[in-house]
Amino acid sequence: MPDELAIHARGVTRVYKAKPDPVTALGGVDLDVEPGEYFGLLGPNGAGKTTLIKILTTLLLPTSGTAKVAGFDVVHETAKIRRVINMVAGGEQSGYGLLTVREQLWMFSQFYGLPTREGWRRVDELIEITGLTEQRQQKVRTLSTGQRQKLNFARGLLNDPWVLFLDEPTLGLDVAAARDLREHTLSWKAAAPGRTLLLTTHYMVEAEQLCDRIAIVDRGKILALGTPEELRRRVQAESIFRLELDRLPQNGGIAGIAALPGVVSAVRADEEMADGAASDRVALKVALADDSALTSVVTAVAERGSHLVGLAKSEPSLEDVFVELVGRGFGDEDGDQEPAA
Amino acid sequence: MSGYHGAPATNASEAADWSTGRVIQTNLRAVLGRAYPRVIGLTREPSWLFFEIFLPFLAVSAFVFVYRALEAPEEFIGFVVLGGAMTSFWLNVVWMMAAQFYWEKDQGNLELYFTAPMHLMSVLAGMAIGGLVMTSSRALAVIGIGSVLYGVTYDIQQPFLLAGVFLLTMIPLYGMGMLFASLFLLWGREAFHLAQLLQEPIYFLGGVNFPLRAIGPIAGVVMATLPLGVGLDAMRQLAFAGSGVEGVLPVGPEILILIAMGVVFLVSARLALGYLEFLARREGRLTLRWQ
Ligand SMILES: Nc1ncnc2c1ncn2[C@@H]1O[C@H](COP(=O)(O)OP(=O)(O)OP(=O)(O)O)[C@@H](O)[C@H]1O
Ligand SMILES: [Mg+2]
């Protein structure tokens, strides 16, 4: 028998009853993920990522469409699916605070039916792998956010799942803890071949580092799907410039610049500012249909009362793809433009 | 699940193919797993001691003094001590069974329980068994202290029957807790307030502090609804056999009632759980009412 797809979704929609109007969280998702593949869902808040994970983990029924995990239907074959999956969410507070790390993992190992000796062996192994050895006898409620998330991650691997769902697993973690967790995920991939990962994240680095393929989702739809390389190539035709300005442009601001002819998108990119920059300074990332549009951008900036203090051409990143498709950067709330593509 | 049972699976479809034995084993393990934190809590949460020994003991003492002042027959003292001990189980059921899914939901445990390969009934059973073990130690403490302090003399002619009736009482009592766990989640605060409201009347109707016969016709209603009342009535007949106590019914029929109640509560708990899961999956929420 050929191996079934790890995840298979066709026309999956989900509408929540809500006041005043029903919310369409998923508007027809088609998705195929091969066994052994690490797949990422990238999308802004409210895009429907968690909703899709809940449907695939049998916690939620699709309003229409079909979905299968490991070849089993999410509506009717829940028992089979539950034998081969696990899920971990960012900020998860599962278990009981009065248990120690080791006890809590053991308790969960019993929910997955691990025989006693095998269970303890697995618990100790995972404690070591995730670097919780020093905390193994510590009460769960005294763990720091990062330690807590390592524990959750260890829990997710207890049953050696064939399909693992990680919903923003590094939410709230510092740089080092997030990197640790990504490394654990990658070493699990090497150690347990044939296992599939479905990851949601807001971090481009994470998606790029962990995932073989990525889908960019917004408002319940998949806007683009491919390997990180393929997605980047979509914007290769454009030129991307990074502008550093002494202050935020006035009248119309960034939106005004984005609306200029020849400009594909314009968003703030302050997080890449050099240290010690004066606090008023802002950075913009501007994607242009071709280089000649740069003149009008520079003029427009000056007209809006800002001075150019730095200019560089940059290589397209996954974030540029995201911005182009979703029409806004992460954290931008003014996302009412239509996607460019 | 690489080969915990037999040959390692080479793909997910194979790994999902479980024998009936493995399904049963997993559910039994889940029961143990969920009972575990309860039993551990016995040694880690001393504040529970206050609620489960001291409070019932205070209530017992109050009634003892009243009966002494009224020069009530001496068996009444024993009735009250036994009733007080059994109160611990009722408190355990209300606060740590019925209200439990509330906490489990907030912590995100409920979702993990649903996605794990065991039935949620096993989680409820684990909660019940863990609670039962933990509370038994409290109940024994109340009986021990009360009996010594107030000089209760027992006349137990059929100790095994008494133990059996105790266990038979626990099945519908905790079955009721398992049912309430789902209902509380479905109906939210309203059910919670209802339970708080019911706590006192149940002490009264359950005949915790006096023989059930004393409340006359209402006793029949109790017989039909409250496992604690029926169980206590039977246990008193067995614990004070020589004193000529009369129950509402003889022990035999009361045992049959307990068995029937056990079946009804367990089946209802199972149905309520199924409805809870259905609602959660269809509506994307676990409650009927907004909270
Ligand atoms: N139980 C619910 N009832 C009503 N609406 C809901 C419910 N759950 C989610 N939604 C709505 O569905 C949409 C998708 O939510 P979802 O949680 O799937 O997004 P997400 O992509 O995971 O977002 P985030 O990145 O913020 O986690 C949102 O508009 C959200 O408000
Ligand atoms: Mg989410």
Side-chain angles (χ1 to χ4, degrees):
Chain A
M1 188 178 71
D3 282 2
E4 298 277 358
L5 284 169
I7 294 167
H8 169 82
R10 281 294 171 276
V12 170
T13 70
R14 173 69 213 199
V15 179
Y16 290 108
K17 280 187 200 161
K19 284 169 192 166
D21 298 307
V23 176
T24 303
L26 292 177
V29 168
D30 297 337
L31 184 65
D32 284 328
V33 179
E34 298 286 338
E37 205 176 4
Y38 272 33
F39 194 94
L41 293 174
L42 264 175
N45 294 132
K49 305 179 297 293
T50 301
T51 301
L52 183 60
I53 285 201
K54 285 196 172 172
I55 289 175
L56 295 172
T57 53
T58 75
L59 287 170
L60 199 64
L61 293 174
T63 305
S64 66
T66 53
K68 288 180 175 185
V69 173
F72 303 114
D73 185 77
V74 295
V75 178
H76 304 291
E77 294 174 291
T78 54
K80 293 213 163 167
I81 292 176
R82 290 168 186 181
R83 289 169 191 167
V84 292
I85 62 163
N86 210 325
M87 67 163 184
V88 179
E92 179 187 308
Q93 292 297 321
S94 59
Y96 303 95
L98 59 85
L99 297 179
T100 66
V101 166
R102 202 163 175 265
E103 289 166 345
Q104 166 133 323
L105 285 174
W106 189 77
M107 178 186 79
F108 276 105
S109 80
Q110 297 307 286
F111 296 150
Y112 307 119
L114 268 64
T116 310
R117 199 179 313 157
E118 179 66 36
W120 282 118
R121 193 192 61 72
R122 189 93 184 113
V123 165
D124 289 329
E125 182 183 61
L126 285 169
I127 283 178
E128 202 183 305
I129 290 175
T130 51
L132 284 172
T133 314
E134 273 175 47
Q135 286 79 35
R136 59 209 285 275
Q137 303 293 4
Q138 200 172 316
K139 299 247 176 69
V140 169
R141 64 166 155 244
T142 65
L143 296 179
S144 75
T145 313
Q147 293 163 345
R148 173 78 228 198
Q149 193 57 1
K150 286 178 180 175
L151 170 63
N152 295 336
F153 186 73
R155 179 194 58 66
L157 294 185
L158 275 170
N159 61 336
D160 205 359
W162 283 83
V163 185
L164 176 64
F165 297 88
L166 297 179
D167 194 359
E168 297 183 40
T170 56
L171 186 78
L173 300 192
D174 69 26
V175 179
R179 196 186 46 212
D180 277 0
L181 218 103
R182 288 198 293 270
E183 272 163 17
H184 299 323
T185 313
L186 286 173
S187 45
W188 181 62
K189 183 179 196 175
R195 305 305 198 270
T196 307
L197 176 74
L198 186 70
L199 168 89
T200 80
T201 182
H202 288 138
Y203 307 117
M204 300 292 163
V205 210
E206 196 160 288
E208 197 141 17
Q209 193 187 341
L210 291 181
C211 299
D212 304 316
R213 286 195 303 150
I214 293 167
I216 294 179
V217 278
D218 188 29
R219 290 166 204 180
K221 292 219 186 266
I222 292 182
L223 302 179
L225 194 156
T227 63
E229 194 44 45
E230 285 166 354
L231 290 177
R232 263 199 304 271
R233 231 178 284 135
R234 290 179 64 126
V235 286
Q236 209 97 57
E238 299 158 7
S239 315
I240 294 175
F241 287 93
R242 217 179 145 271
L243 279 69
E244 236 176 273
L245 310 177
D246 64 342
R247 52 186 290 222
L248 202 62
Q250 303 304 301
N251 18 324
I254 299 169
I257 292 170
L260 292 171
V263 176
V264 179
S265 68
V267 288
R268 280 182 76 155
D270 291 346
E271 69 281 357
E272 293 161 38
M273 294 283 278
D275 280 347
S279 58
D280 280 351
R281 284 196 182 185
V282 292
L284 297 187
K285 222 170 195 186
V286 185
L288 303 176
D290 81 86
D291 285 4
S292 63
L294 185 62
T295 332
S296 57
V297 171
V298 174
T299 317
V301 164
E303 281 168 8
R304 286 168 168 79
S306 308
H307 294 282
L308 198 60
V309 289
L311 174 67
K313 191 163 181 179
S314 66
E315 282 301 303
S317 70
L318 211 50
E319 179 150 8
D320 299 322
V321 186
F322 185 91
V323 166
E324 182 182 326
L325 290 171
V326 179
R328 58 192 193 268
F330 279 110
D332 290 4
E333 293 304 326
D334 54 333
D336 28 30
Q337 296 158 257
E338 279 302 303
Chain B
M1 326 222 163
S2 41
Y4 295 133
H5 302 251
T10 56
N11 61 38
S13 341
E14 256 179 63
D17 191 17
W18 284 20
S19 64
T20 314
R22 184 165 177 191
V23 171
I24 293 171
Q25 217 181 63
T26 298
N27 279 287
L28 290 177
R29 288 190 176 280
V31 173
L32 280 183
R34 186 58 190 85
Y36 186 69
R38 288 263 147 122
V39 177
I40 293 267
L42 188 65
T43 55
R44 299 222 176 125
E45 296 284 352
S47 63
W48 294 352
L49 276 178
F50 175 79
F51 290 105
E52 282 163 27
I53 296 183
F54 188 64
L55 289 186
F57 185 71
L58 269 190
V60 167
S61 303
F63 273 91
V64 168
F65 294 132
V66 170
Y67 284 146
R68 289 254 155 94
L70 293 174
E71 296 180 10
E74 203 50 26
E75 309 91 71
F76 272 51
I77 308 295
F79 283 16
V80 167
V81 170
L82 193 60
M86 298 297 281
T87 308
S88 304
F89 293 102
W90 172 246
L91 288 176
N92 187 245
V93 163
V94 171
W95 296 111
M96 296 196 66
M97 290 290 299
Q100 189 68 28
F101 273 2
Y102 243 48
W103 316 127
E104 307 273 22
K105 178 186 134 201
D106 281 353
Q107 285 175 304
N109 285 335
L110 213 48
E111 289 200 339
L112 291 179
Y113 292 165
F114 275 122
T115 55
M118 37 86 181
H119 200 281
L120 223 61
M121 276 301 270
S122 304
V123 169
L124 283 173
M127 245 151 69
I129 289 173
L132 184 59
V133 168
M134 186 180 75
T135 309
S136 293
S137 65
R138 272 52 160 181
L140 282 174
V142 172
I143 290 187
I145 301 171
S147 303
V148 170
L149 220 62
Y150 302 121
V152 179
T153 49
Y154 297 89
D155 180 4
I156 303 168
Q157 287 163 8
Q158 292 163 290
F160 291 110
L161 189 59
L162 178 60
V165 169
F166 167 76
L167 288 176
L168 267 187
T169 309
M170 291 299 121
I171 293 171
L173 186 63
Y174 277 87
M176 202 161 134
M178 289 160 80
L179 172 64
F180 281 0
S182 297
L183 295 187
F184 270 38
L185 204 50
L186 288 171
W187 284 312
R189 281 188 203 292
E190 290 157 43
F192 200 71
H193 288 154
L194 191 73
Q196 280 181 306
L197 219 68
L198 272 180
Q199 188 153 314
E200 280 308 311
I202 276 177
Y203 283 160
F204 173 66
L205 293 175
V208 167
N209 297 314
F210 51 85
L212 204 50
R213 250 176 100 82
I215 54 174
I218 307 177
V221 179
V222 173
M223 277 292 169
T225 50
L226 290 180
L228 191 65
V230 183
L232 253 178
D233 199 61
M235 285 170 71
R236 279 171 178 153
Q237 295 182 54
L238 291 165
F240 307 99
S243 65
V245 278
E246 275 186 73
V248 177
L249 291 171
V251 175
E254 290 190 332
I255 287 178
L256 292 180
I257 292 176
L258 285 173
I259 292 173
M261 281 176 166
V263 172
V264 169
F265 280 121
L266 288 178
V267 169
S268 318
R270 166 89 211 247
L271 292 176
L273 211 48
Y275 184 64
L276 186 74
E277 185 176 352
F278 163 76
L279 192 79
R281 301 212 311 144
R282 196 190 58 184
E283 308 284 313
R285 63 198 165 96
L286 284 160
T287 49
L288 282 174
R289 309 279 161 93
W290 295 107
Q291 288 166 44

